Amino acid sequence: MTPLSDVLVFHSDDRVEDAARAMAERSVGGAPVVDGDGTVIGLLNDDDLIVQDVRLHVPTVLSLLGAYLELPSSQHKFENELRKAVGATVGDVMSREPTMCREDDTLEQVATLMHEENLRRLPVVRDGKLVGIVARGDVLRALVSRGPEG
């Protein structure tokens, strides 16, 4: 785990441009977003910042017996993509309700969670407050250092 003192952290009102620059300078693909109390409220991933290539999916509308029906899930997806495409702050583009782990979770629990949810990083929390971050590389290094008997 990377301790909080070394973790790149953002707030929801940080500018997207500044966040992208900070992530590029530190060569990280994501960072937790916290509120004023240090509670994790989101996760900013490099995928969230790639807005110039966003292709908006226009909501699906069905014509049935002269009536037009809009699929609700299609509208939600469109609104989410539009929000990310024009977002100016980290809060506009971050992934909300990120998967997290606790500082007392075992290596096996963290590795399983990351694998099952195809995650590259997990904020580590204590009582909802950020204490660090664990990345796939951290898990791999820990597994290798334990050896086959581990």
Side-chain angles (χ1 to χ4, degrees):
M1 173 183 90
T2 302
L4 180 57
S5 59
D6 296 331
V7 175
L8 178 61
V9 176
F10 297 113
H11 294 90
S12 62
D13 58 352
D14 289 342
R15 292 182 26 195
V16 167
E17 182 180 342
D18 296 335
R21 184 174 294 111
M23 288 171 59
E25 288 172 357
R26 301 241 335 235
S27 297
V28 296
V33 182
V34 299
D35 66 11
D37 295 328
T39 300
V40 178
I41 58 171
L43 189 65
L44 184 66
N45 288 302
D46 47 11
D47 293 343
D48 299 323
L49 299 174
I50 303 173
V51 294
Q52 59 269 34
D53 291 332
V54 170
R55 294 202 170 140
L56 297 177
H57 295 90
V58 178
T60 303
V61 178
L62 302 175
S63 175
L64 182 65
L65 301 173
Y68 292 98
L69 303 171
E70 186 175 307
L71 299 180
S73 62
S74 179
Q75 178 65 29
H76 175 71
K77 182 175 182 179
F78 174 74
E79 289 172 354
N80 189 40
E81 289 175 346
L82 182 61
R83 178 178 48 80
K84 285 189 174 192
V86 299
T89 66
V90 168
D92 292 330
V93 299
M94 70 182 184
S95 300
R96 300 178 190 292
E97 300 178 20
T99 302
M100 298 177 272
C101 64
R102 295 184 323 267
E103 64 181 340
D104 59 350
D105 286 347
T106 66
L107 178 61
E108 290 77 14
Q109 289 171 313
V110 171
T112 300
L113 184 59
M114 292 179 88
H115 174 73
E116 287 177 350
E117 297 198 25
N118 195 29
L119 300 170
R120 294 179 286 187
R121 67 197 51 80
L122 280 174
V124 181
V125 296
R126 178 188 317 128
D127 299 323
K129 305 225 185 292
L130 185 67
V131 296
I133 195 162
V134 63
R136 283 187 178 187
D138 298 325
V139 172
L140 182 60
R141 280 187 292 280
L143 290 170
V144 168
S145 70
R146 285 179 24 178
E149 295 83 37

